[in-house]
Amino acid sequence: MEIADQVGITSTSESGETFNILSYYFSSIGFVSETGMLGAFLSGRLAKSPDCKLVDPIYPFGLNQSQKKAVDNALGSQLSIIEGPPGTGKTQTILNIIANIVMRGQSVAVVSSNNSATKNVLDKLKKNNVDFIAAYLGSKANKVGFIESQRERPDLNDWMMDPKIEEETRKRLIIMHEQLQTMLEKKIELSKLNRTYSSFITEKGHFLRSVMSKEQKLIILRETDSLVSSDQALDLWLRIEYLEKPSWFSRLIQDFIGFFSTASRGNRLIRELLRIYSEEDLIAHFQSKYYDLKEIELTAAIDKLEVELNEYDFDTKMQEYTNVSLAVFQACLAKRFVGREIEKFDLGDLKQNSQGFIKEYPVVLSTTYSLRGSLSSETMYDYVIIDESSQVDICTGALALSCARNAVIVGDIKQLSHVVDSKAAKMTDAIFYKYNLPLTYLYKNESLLSALIKLFPDAPRTLLKEHYRCHPKIIEFCNQKFYGGELIVMTEARTGRDPLVIYKTVEGNHERSRVNQRQIDVIKNEIIPGQNLSLMDGSLGIITPYRKQTNALQAAFANTNVKADTVDKFQGQENDIVILSTVDNEISEFADNANRLNVAVSRAVDQLIIVVNDTDTLNDTNLGDLVKYAEYNNLSIIKSKTKSIFDYLYKSYAARRKLL
């Protein structure tokens, strides 16, 4: 409560009285039940898992393996945590959880720190014609808007399903699901093979260039034409080293014992070849042979899986499963609502008839800040789903938890957290130390997501692994750098654009007070014409770490459809093409923050263009790792030609600074 007093937003009541909204909502909590989520959060102890659990959950909004695991965990646990890296289908997962909660006659609140995330959920429900079960509440304006726009429930008679047909349909879904599970595993295997193949081809190119740089010619040996696997080529390479180590007597004994063995024949072949060729040439030959044979093996494995998936017609079968699941969900809604007249509500009913409201609208959408004020203060939802929870502070997060018995926490600790200014940090620190609280509750350091992960390390925690947004070469940087290679990239190139392009401006001291006009000039005069970018079709977004550079970019691209904003504001959004203006002469800790760079890179669908100053200060930075990644993968690195009449001055100034 004391933290709420310090960080809460103030508002003015109808009578003209000023009050703290957060403190007001906390004061409405009369009793904290040990079995509710707020009680669990404060005590650090979870109650037993929900008693009611569907034997066979359905997935009317589609699924993959990790999404299925996330849904199952959510339905069987008081608290479940879903970590959703960029483009992994968090909204789709949330929709499936909502469907199953509603099907078992329960209520669910869906909240986030902003309206855009919950609006996205409502839009997807609307797309599937089931938005009539949801109420978009929260702020007074939203509540008034909802009450005034109440409409008749759609005719659901066509959704009705005979009980016997419904039972048969559910059995059919189980069979379809089992078949899909097998094919989903093959789909994942294919994705991993494609990723391996892409990395392999890049590495093979580096190998061939390395051989050429040594002015070394690869020898051709008829003796190795019979090799049929890459492992055989590796074995022969290893034998060159093996034959150097044992004494002549040991080799004699080993050859005598294994005279007729394959290993012995390989040893004899290597000895014969070493009489003719140098060890270096033979090693290069077997390495080259390995790459050639491995490429054949990978291609064959990819082709085999593609044939299996095409013969099964995976995409059609998945769509069929989704459609049948949606029909079962719709039948459940029809059974619940057909024959029951819709109840109309006024603003007063939200507080006075909350249970009747939830019966009509079992899904309530709000913000973490406003959920407690959406209906009566006694309302307890069966579930609360908190999206973008890495951006939710522990105070407003606790307020949302106070409204539910069970919680599903969705977010990504590898993306940006909530922002705490120095004033709020100082005030909340004083309260923290006053009560000697555990570090998990330190307001300035912990988001709701990170706090719950630390408080409940044994709670079910699912990483959504399958990625569906970015070009493989774009997201693979994030995958390697931030996610330990755990993401499964399901995308393919959609355009012929270079996926990652680095523009290096002329070296110099171009940034002034977090504005870099040189980078803006490069974007306008080189990047947009050089990359053939449109300013009007909405495909281009320009992002930057700093608000002042954002203001300058917005002014430069006024009267266009280019979206220009800070990286932080772009979290949760995407664009086909994204330009990142890094601004700094020497990359700052703020701009180089790993979470901020992860967000920046993963906003781009088809092409990411980075503008950096050409300086060696990129070494040992996250941004420098991105440049090295581009170099290793033979992606485009362009030296800017945009210059100033003062470039010599700036270059001399920069050189002098290095000496100080």
Side-chain angles (χ1 to χ4, degrees):
M1 185 72 175
E2 288 185 41
I3 290 178
D5 291 340
Q6 298 297 332
V7 302
I9 299 171
T10 57
S11 183
T12 305
S13 66
E14 293 180 359
S15 62
E17 186 179 353
T18 301
F19 68 102
N20 182 310
I21 302 174
L22 203 55
S23 298
Y24 172 78
Y25 286 145
F26 268 109
S27 67
S28 71
I29 302 174
F31 173 73
V32 178
S33 169
E34 289 185 0
T35 60
M37 270 311 305
L38 179 58
F41 181 64
L42 296 176
S43 68
R45 295 188 303 273
L46 291 170
K48 65 178 182 178
S49 297
D51 294 328
C52 180
K53 182 180 178 183
L54 283 177
V55 177
D56 295 302
I58 66 168
Y59 308 91
F61 298 94
L63 83 155
N64 58 43
Q65 283 193 325
S66 54
Q67 288 174 350
K68 178 187 182 304
K69 181 181 177 184
V71 172
D72 293 351
N73 283 339
L75 298 176
S77 312
Q78 185 187 20
L79 170 68
S80 67
I81 295 168
I82 301 173
E83 293 182 85
T88 53
K90 294 188 292 290
T91 301
Q92 181 173 303
T93 307
I94 289 169
L95 290 167
N96 280 319
I97 294 170
I98 290 171
N100 283 282
I101 289 172
V102 172
M103 284 182 68
R104 59 192 197 183
Q106 295 180 306
S107 60
V108 55
V110 185
V111 299
S112 74
S113 60
N114 57 73
N115 288 315
S116 60
T118 47
K119 182 70 164 53
N120 193 27
V121 171
L122 181 63
D123 289 343
K124 295 292 172 62
L125 290 172
K126 188 177 295 185
K127 184 179 178 181
N128 288 276
N129 302 312
V130 293
D131 57 305
F132 63 88
I133 64 173
Y136 192 62
L137 305 179
S139 68
K140 183 176 180 180
N142 284 353
K143 288 188 284 188
V144 170
F146 177 81
I147 293 298
E148 290 179 350
S149 64
Q150 287 177 96
R151 62 184 190 279
E152 294 299 319
R153 191 187 302 124
D155 185 0
L156 308 181
N157 283 289
D158 289 344
W159 290 358
M160 291 292 288
M161 201 179 281
D162 181 89
K164 287 186 176 179
I165 294 176
E166 183 177 349
E167 184 180 355
E168 291 171 1
T169 304
R170 283 184 172 274
K171 289 179 180 177
R172 180 183 164 210
L173 272 178
I174 294 172
I175 295 169
M176 292 172 69
H177 185 265
E178 289 174 351
Q179 293 174 342
L180 274 173
Q181 280 295 103
T182 301
M183 289 300 163
L184 281 169
E185 290 171 6
K186 291 185 182 292
K187 192 86 170 172
I188 288 172
E189 186 182 352
L190 177 60
S191 172
K192 290 179 177 177
L193 278 172
N194 280 325
R195 176 182 159 200
T196 299
Y197 181 81
S198 176
S199 300
F200 170 83
I201 291 300
T202 300
E203 182 181 315
K204 182 179 179 181
H206 283 294
F207 165 75
L208 293 173
R209 281 190 291 276
S210 174
V211 171
M212 292 174 63
S213 69
K214 298 174 185 175
E215 297 183 353
Q216 181 181 6
K217 291 184 179 179
L218 289 172
I219 58 176
I220 300 172
L221 298 176
R222 286 183 298 174
E223 292 87 343
T224 59
D225 287 346
S226 60
L227 297 182
V228 294
S229 76
S230 58
D231 285 343
Q232 289 178 324
L234 286 178
D235 287 342
L236 289 172
W237 171 18
L238 289 169
R239 290 188 188 288
I240 295 174
E241 298 179 0
Y242 157 78
L243 285 171
E244 288 186 337
K245 293 175 183 176
S247 67
W248 68 270
F249 183 74
S250 298
R251 293 202 304 269
L252 181 65
I253 296 298
Q254 290 165 4
D255 286 352
F256 178 77
I257 293 172
F259 183 77
F260 295 105
S261 70
T262 302
S264 181
R265 289 196 295 273
N267 291 344
R268 290 198 300 274
L269 172 62
I270 294 300
R271 287 200 196 97
E272 290 170 6
L273 291 173
L274 281 169
R275 295 190 187 101
I276 305 169
Y277 303 101
S278 71
E279 179 185 326
E280 186 180 16
D281 285 345
L282 282 177
I283 289 174
H285 170 78
F286 290 126
Q287 289 173 337
S288 176
K289 201 73 177 174
Y290 164 81
Y291 281 115
D292 291 342
L293 291 168
K294 192 66 177 179
E295 184 173 354
I296 293 170
E297 291 165 2
L298 286 171
T299 302
I302 290 169
D303 290 345
K304 181 175 181 293
L305 281 172
E306 286 180 341
V307 167
E308 288 183 41
L309 288 165
N310 287 333
E311 286 179 350
Y312 176 73
D313 199 1
F314 178 87
D315 292 340
T316 301
K317 290 291 197 302
M318 176 59 80
Q319 189 59 56
E320 181 183 359
Y321 174 83
T322 301
N323 292 341
V324 174
S325 296
L326 183 60
V328 170
F329 178 42
Q330 291 171 334
C332 177
L333 295 178
K335 192 186 303 182
R336 177 172 177 169
F337 289 110
V338 166
R340 202 180 90 195
E341 189 173 339
I342 187 170
E343 188 174 355
K344 294 293 180 71
F345 300 91
D346 58 33
L347 273 175
D349 290 328
L350 297 179
K351 300 287 187 183
Q352 297 161 15
N353 187 18
S354 297
Q355 291 307 308
F357 187 86
I358 286 178
K359 189 176 179 181
E360 189 68 45
Y361 300 101
V363 182
V364 171
L365 303 150
S366 181
T367 63
T368 51
Y369 220 94
S370 303
L371 177 61
R372 190 158 189 86
S374 294
L375 300 176
S376 74
S377 59
E378 291 80 27
T379 300
M380 282 289 282
Y381 302 91
D382 292 299
Y383 280 84
V384 62
I385 300 173
I386 304 181
D387 195 9
E388 302 287 0
S389 57
S390 67
Q391 294 191 304
V392 175
D393 65 78
I394 59 173
C395 194
T396 55
L399 191 65
L401 292 177
S402 73
C403 301
R405 300 178 182 89
N406 308 289
V408 182
I409 309 300
V410 186
D412 183 9
I413 56 174
K414 304 290 188 182
Q415 295 190 63
L416 290 164
S417 184
H418 64 298
V419 177
V420 180
D421 62 34
S422 58
K423 181 180 178 183
K426 185 176 180 179
M427 290 188 297
T428 55
D429 277 358
I431 297 168
F432 174 83
Y433 292 113
K434 174 182 174 182
Y435 293 99
N436 195 27
L437 297 173
L439 282 172
T440 310
Y441 300 102
L442 186 56
Y443 180 86
K444 70 180 181 184
N445 286 355
E446 303 294 345
S447 67
L448 180 66
L449 175 61
S450 63
L452 287 171
I453 288 173
K454 292 174 181 177
L455 269 175
F456 305 107
D458 296 327
R461 187 173 166 186
T462 308
L463 175 68
L464 300 182
K465 296 181 178 180
E466 293 88 340
H467 175 87
Y468 299 97
R469 177 192 293 166
C470 307
H471 186 289
K473 288 290 186 185
I474 295 175
I475 198 60
E476 190 57 30
F477 171 76
C478 298
N479 192 18
Q480 293 177 16
K481 178 72 176 173
F482 307 117
Y483 296 103
E486 288 195 77
L487 300 187
I488 301 165
V489 182
M490 309 298 284
T491 55
E492 296 178 356
R494 303 189 313 169
T495 71
R497 289 186 173 278
D498 291 339
L500 180 56
V501 183
I502 311 287
Y503 276 81
K504 293 185 175 181
T505 62
V506 174
E507 187 177 357
N509 189 39
H510 307 306
E511 176 260 323
R512 297 285 188 280
S513 302
R514 301 307 187 198
V515 175
N516 192 321
Q517 185 60 44
R518 176 64 59 86
Q519 290 192 3
I520 296 174
D521 292 341
V522 169
I523 292 169
K524 290 180 69 175
N525 302 326
E526 288 189 61
I527 295 176
I528 287 173
Q531 298 293 325
N532 193 27
L533 305 182
S534 171
L535 300 180
M536 303 307 297
D537 66 3
S539 63
L540 177 59
I542 307 177
I543 56 179
T544 178
Y546 304 112
R547 172 52 56 189
K548 287 186 176 180
Q549 182 78 343
T550 293
N551 295 338
L553 284 163
Q554 289 174 345
F557 291 96
N559 304 316
T560 73
N561 289 328
V562 173
K563 289 190 286 185
D565 216 326
T566 62
V567 176
D568 298 52
K569 287 292 186 181
F570 240 78
Q571 182 157 309
Q573 302 182 56
E574 65 182 56
N575 261 90
D576 290 345
I577 301 160
V578 170
I579 300 173
L580 170 61
S581 170
T582 57
V583 180
D584 294 325
N585 296 320
E586 297 180 6
I587 294 300
S588 68
E589 184 178 339
F590 178 82
D592 197 51
N593 175 273
N595 291 29
R596 186 163 284 105
L597 184 60
N598 183 27
V599 171
V601 172
S602 58
R603 299 311 94 196
V605 175
D606 297 315
Q607 186 178 44
L608 173 67
I609 302 168
I610 314 286
V611 190
V612 297
N613 284 359
D614 190 3
T615 169
D616 56 11
T617 59
L618 285 175
N619 295 333
D620 300 319
T621 65
N622 293 312
L623 193 58
D625 288 343
L626 178 57
V627 175
K628 291 173 186 174
Y629 171 84
E631 290 171 342
Y632 178 80
N633 285 277
N634 306 312
L635 302 172
S636 299
I637 298 181
I638 299 170
K639 293 274 190 179
S640 169
K641 295 185 174 71
T642 300
K643 295 185 178 182
S644 161
I645 58 172
F646 300 112
D647 273 344
Y648 184 81
L649 172 64
Y650 291 146
K651 189 172 183 179
S652 300
Y653 173 84
R656 189 65 183 167
R657 281 190 66 184
K658 292 177 183 178
L659 298 175
L660 297 179

